[in-house]
Amino acid sequence: MIDLHTHTTCSDGKDSPRTLINKAIIAGVQVLALTDHDTTSGWSIASESLRGTIELVLGAEISCLTTDGISVHVLGLLFDGENAVMQQMLEQTSDARLPRMRKIIELMRADGFDISMDDVDAAKPYGATLGRPHLADALVAKKIVKSREEAFMQLLNNGSKYYVSHAAPTPAEAISVIKSAGGVSIIAHPFASLRGRILESTDFQELVSAGLNAIEVDHRDHNPQEREALRKIAEELKLVVTGSSDYHGSGKLNLLGENRTHPAQWELLESQADKRRVLRG
Ligand code: AMP
Ligand code: ZN
Ligand code: FE
Ligand code: FE
């Protein structure tokens, strides 16, 4: 079982990297990618937690914005974690999340919500990449909503009056930086239309020119028609097809291994990195 997209307490997941590895082993995952939002801070603990035969793929999910303001997530796998340009991009994107959170809170306070940056800090694990799920957790702690799901549905989704984007690279920029750091890139849940505006089929060619390697087709947020359309695009553009859980621990319903990548597709993707960087215990 190959699962190439998961989150931990280093961003907005609920399991620590160590717990993630343990749960993945129990679930029977054979190849697991760690892809926290805009950070590689979980890499060392995850690597130290390896045992048995599980293989670990280190990565990150980079929050991007198109020039039209569409939010796009790019998964970077198997890049050199010490690459300065890559780390600078991750740092800039995660730093931009604080002023953005302040703006969201300001808008909510102006509407009478009793929520502050201190509440969000209290809900966020130390050092984690700050995100809306932490604000959701703060709203749950304050009994304003019952769950992350409800927080997103009512207040925090991309179409909400409280939505604010943050400075971020374009998808093409992120893809070329990942490539220059020796890694491979996957466009994450590109047709997840419930989240907000999405890319069009014709946008993929430019990303391929920037060095895109794969499309995440099998993902909980894609319906059968969306998966079919993406499979066609992948075939036309000779891109690898992946499937993954986007696991967030108890922070989302997504279960480890609920969507998977075919071994032959993984083999092809892995061969496109500049070095063999898969880790074993
Ligand atoms: P941000 O990085 O601050 O833009 O927040 C985006 C994160 O919120 C993504 O990683 C999603 O996993 C998470 N998210 C989006 N919608 C929901 C939802 N309905 N329930 C829980 N988490 C969500
Ligand atoms: Zn997330
Ligand atoms: Fe994502
Ligand atoms: Fe994700």
Side-chain angles (χ1 to χ4, degrees), residues 5-7 35 37 61 73 75 189 195 219 246 248 252:
H5 181 172
T6 66
H7 297 271
T35 55
H37 298 284
E61 182 173 19
H73 289 176
L75 296 164
H189 47 70
R195 296 183 185 214
H219 183 286
D246 203 356
H248 281 69
K252 269 190 167 186

Side-chain angles (χ1 to χ4, degrees), residues 7-52:
H7 297 271
T8 73
T9 45
C10 293
S11 62
D12 55 7
K14 290 284 198 179
D15 291 337
S16 68
R18 188 179 302 280
T19 301
L20 170 69
I21 300 280
N22 287 335
K23 287 191 179 172
I25 291 169
I26 291 165
V29 176
Q30 286 143 336
V31 180
L32 176 80
L34 170 66
T35 55
D36 274 308
H37 298 284
D38 304 321
T39 186
T40 57
S41 67
W43 283 21
S44 56
I45 295 180
S47 312
E48 287 164 18
S49 308
L50 286 176
R51 61 192 162 78

Side-chain angles (χ1 to χ4, degrees), residues 70 86 127 132 156 249:
I70 300 173
M86 185 72 197
R132 282 175 285 165
L156 304 181

Side-chain angles (χ1 to χ4, degrees), residues 22 47 75-76 88 98 105 119 184 193 200 216 232 243 267:
N22 287 335
S47 312
L75 296 164
Q88 193 184 16
L98 181 60
I105 290 172
D119 297 325
V184 294
S193 54
E200 310 211 357
E216 187 179 55
K232 252 197 174 144
E267 200 180 312

